[in-house]
Amino acid sequence: MYLWSGTGNELTGPAAAFSDAVYRRTTLPLREFEAARITIARVNDCSICLSLRTEGGPDEAFYATVLGGGADLTEREALAAEFAHRFAIDHLGMDDAFWQRLHAAFSDDELVQLGLCVGSWLAFGRLNRVFGVDVVCRIPLTPHGSDHLHRKPQA
């Protein structure tokens, strides 16, 4: 927690507020939010985010499908995961055809929210990994309007 609370205070407070807003104020449906979040967790190899689950949210089969690229996702869930992956891995490869698919499924407001969420997870997840603090992440205790957050049991 020292990284987030004891250093860079001029920026860590606003950064934490942004992270909090991503979890508490988004209007993206939970499964689409989680499809994008777990995709970035995989890209960042963030042990915290890979193990976090929202109580009452998607089941483990959903996460396995997202992480395995399965076909059992809705179009919007699959697009949210694909957007997250491309944002993190090949942001310049988002061609017109991909944007047409996105605009056919999401409103402009939803796309901006998705981009801000993904950008937050990418930046803060990598910051935690680079500084080696990805086992003690400063994240809200009640993401996406949920009152309970729990870690998936480690296998």
Side-chain angles (χ1 to χ4, degrees), residues 8-154:
N9 291 326
E10 294 82 7
L11 293 178
T12 55
F18 177 46
S19 179
D20 185 66
V22 161
Y23 282 90
R24 294 180 194 263
R25 300 193 63 183
T26 185
T27 59
L28 291 171
L30 182 58
R31 287 175 61 96
E32 294 156 20
F33 178 91
E34 283 294 279
R37 186 190 66 78
I38 203 70
T39 298
I40 293 297
R42 179 187 204 182
V43 169
N44 282 343
D45 192 31
C46 179
S47 60
I48 292 173
C49 291
L50 283 168
S51 66
L52 287 177
R53 301 294 184 262
T54 302
E55 191 170 305
D59 60 17
E60 283 305 311
F62 169 83
Y63 293 99
T65 298
V66 173
L67 293 172
D72 292 334
L73 301 174
T74 67
E75 178 185 16
R76 285 175 52 109
E77 292 163 0
L79 280 169
E82 183 179 354
F83 177 88
H85 188 263
R86 286 183 176 214
F87 188 103
I89 302 299
D90 185 23
H91 62 288
L92 298 178
M94 292 186 178
D95 58 16
D96 289 342
F98 181 59
W99 280 107
Q100 287 174 353
R101 290 174 37 225
L102 287 169
H103 283 292
F106 293 93
S107 70
D108 289 346
D109 184 63
E110 290 173 319
L111 288 172
V112 170
Q113 285 191 45
L114 183 60
L116 289 168
C117 290
V118 167
S120 168
W121 300 320
L122 184 63
F124 298 143
R126 288 191 181 185
L127 178 73
N128 288 335
R129 287 289 290 160
V130 166
F131 283 93
V133 294
D134 64 314
V135 294
V136 209
C137 181
R138 182 178 180 143
I139 57 170
L141 295 177
T142 55
H144 204 76
S146 172
D147 291 330
H148 303 289
L149 181 72
H150 63 277
R151 284 201 169 93
K152 174 181 77 166
Q154 298 297 314

